[in-house]
Amino acid sequence: MAQRARDLGLVIGGGETGPRNAITDVAGVTVGHVTRSEPDQGIQTGVTVIKPHSGNLYSQPVPAMVHVGNGFGKFIGLSQVCELGELETPIAITNTLNAPQAASGLIEQTLAESSEALSVNPVVGEINDGKVNAIRERVVAPGDTQHAWFNASELCPEGNVGAGTGGEAYGWKGGVGTASRVVDLEGVPYTVGMLTVTNLPGQFAPRGIALVGEPPTASSSGGKGSIIMVIATDAPVCPGNLGRMASRSLLGVARTGTIMPNGSGDYAIAFSTKRRERANDQALLKPSAHVANQAMDPLFEASVEAAEEAVLNAMVAAETVETPIGTLRRYPFEPMG
């Protein structure tokens, strides 16, 4: 198993983590990866799929909302999520030029499972892994997304897997990272889970870590990069406040060094596993049962802490990649004293 930030003594904040310290600590949430790694051929990419629950998401959508930090990206399905405040397919993340193929995989699987579907809103985020991946080859097929969907589980590998296989972080190797926090709302415990796929530009400036090396490439990546963040919770949060949680998660990423420059695509999508039934379009939880605005602060704090830790977990778990296209080296973390 790959190392994580806490294995090196790097503890972010004072919040309690879930048992896995992962997005899959939120009951019902699963994650699947397909990794395409052929370094000699310049292939370092993949696809990651996050499923909010094991049922039919088209007929049982979940509340959701998106926050755009900087919109230099190709986030498929964003407008309908923002308009309706719900998610009707799993979330897929892949490389920029394979986003349409990932969307096709989500559509095909949704049609196979939902005979009533005449319109499907696939939700796909992307990062540009062209620094080490032959991105123009577009090797991630629709079937890879379906395979990740089929094989989603509570396990959540980090680093060079799935959509993070060719990911960067501040001139170093990045990738997939995850973390979680457990909060208490009026005596009831709820979980906030985070998954990030990093391709971050900027200057690595983590809190509480003595930097031990300069990046082997330009630290700003020319002002280009991205991060896709997925926030899950089992708290009964309405779409508006899910958007607020998504916005707060970018504060955690900023703590590691990014300024979200002009050429960076920075997106966060948050969902609650409290379902809605499409059959009668009636929320199972009445609005009065939603977490009130004035009670949201613990969920905001959890979103910030989990985001910061997920970025560090991605970098700690990452491994150096060398292809004919380029090289990304793992940051030389040292254990804390």
Side-chain angles (χ1 to χ4, degrees):
M1 183 177 293
Q3 279 191 316
R4 310 189 76 193
R6 291 181 181 237
D7 296 329
L8 302 178
L10 306 176
V11 177
I12 302 301
E16 176 187 355
T17 73
R20 302 179 190 87
N21 194 15
I23 192 172
T24 53
D25 288 329
V26 178
V29 176
T30 53
V31 176
H33 301 291
V34 167
T35 301
R36 300 292 303 273
S37 179
E38 302 172 45
D40 292 345
Q41 303 301 314
I43 302 300
Q44 285 292 118
T45 192
V47 59
T48 295
V49 170
I50 302 95
K51 297 174 63 177
H53 61 71
S54 61
N56 186 317
L57 197 58
Y58 184 82
S59 60
Q60 295 180 316
V62 295
M65 191 51 66
V66 176
H67 178 79
V68 181
N70 192 68
F72 195 94
K74 293 80 187 166
F75 198 114
I76 295 173
L78 179 152
S79 62
Q80 184 172 310
V81 174
C82 291
E83 182 71 20
L84 301 184
E86 66 182 26
L87 186 66
E88 67 182 29
T89 73
I91 299 162
I93 308 169
T94 189
N95 73 62
T96 305
L97 297 185
N98 271 127
Q101 285 90 327
S104 181
L106 292 179
I107 291 171
E108 289 176 14
Q109 192 56 36
T110 299
L111 293 177
E113 295 185 2
S114 306
S115 59
E116 75 277 22
L118 300 178
S119 172
V120 179
N121 186 54
V123 175
V124 183
E126 51 79 25
I127 67 165
N128 192 313
D129 53 19
K131 180 165 287 187
V132 293
N133 175 52
I135 192 170
R136 290 171 59 92
E137 298 296 322
R138 306 178 75 198
V139 299
V140 180
D144 291 324
T145 300
Q146 292 174 282
H147 187 74
W149 178 324
F150 292 144
N151 289 280
S153 74
E154 293 178 346
L155 300 177
C156 192
E158 296 172 296
N160 301 21
V161 294
T165 303
E168 183 183 353
Y170 304 123
W172 303 93
K173 185 67 185 73
V176 172
T178 189
S180 70
R181 293 293 187 272
V182 177
V183 302
D184 183 285
L185 297 181
E186 297 183 349
V188 180
Y190 293 107
T191 301
V192 174
M194 179 77 57
L195 184 140
T196 64
V197 181
T198 72
N199 207 44
L200 286 164
Q203 181 67 51
F204 189 38
R207 298 184 302 154
I209 301 176
L211 297 179
V212 296
E214 290 297 322
T217 57
S219 62
S220 67
S221 301
K224 298 178 180 180
S226 57
I227 186 166
I228 303 297
M229 314 179 67
V230 179
I231 305 100
T233 185
D234 54 4
V237 181
C238 68
N241 276 332
L242 287 169
R244 298 174 77 200
M245 290 174 65
S247 71
R248 298 322 192 269
S249 69
L250 288 165
L251 296 175
V253 181
R255 288 177 175 178
T256 67
T258 189
I259 62 164
M260 295 189 297
N262 176 69
S264 189
D266 307 298
Y267 297 86
I269 180 168
F271 64 83
S272 167
T273 55
K274 300 301 181 185
R275 309 182 194 180
R276 299 182 66 181
E277 296 290 347
R278 188 182 295 277
N280 56 17
D281 205 25
Q282 183 72 31
L284 293 180
L285 287 169
K286 295 180 181 179
S288 60
H290 291 151
V291 178
N293 292 337
Q294 61 268 29
M296 285 296 299
D297 284 354
L299 295 170
F300 293 160
E301 183 175 15
S303 300
V304 174
E305 285 192 6
E308 184 178 4
E309 185 162 353
V311 171
L312 293 179
N313 279 337
M315 296 181 70
V316 171
E319 299 176 358
T320 295
V321 166
E322 297 183 64
T323 76
I325 297 168
T327 298
L328 285 172
R329 301 194 180 281
R330 178 184 183 272
Y331 182 80
F333 288 98
E334 294 181 351
M336 302 291 285

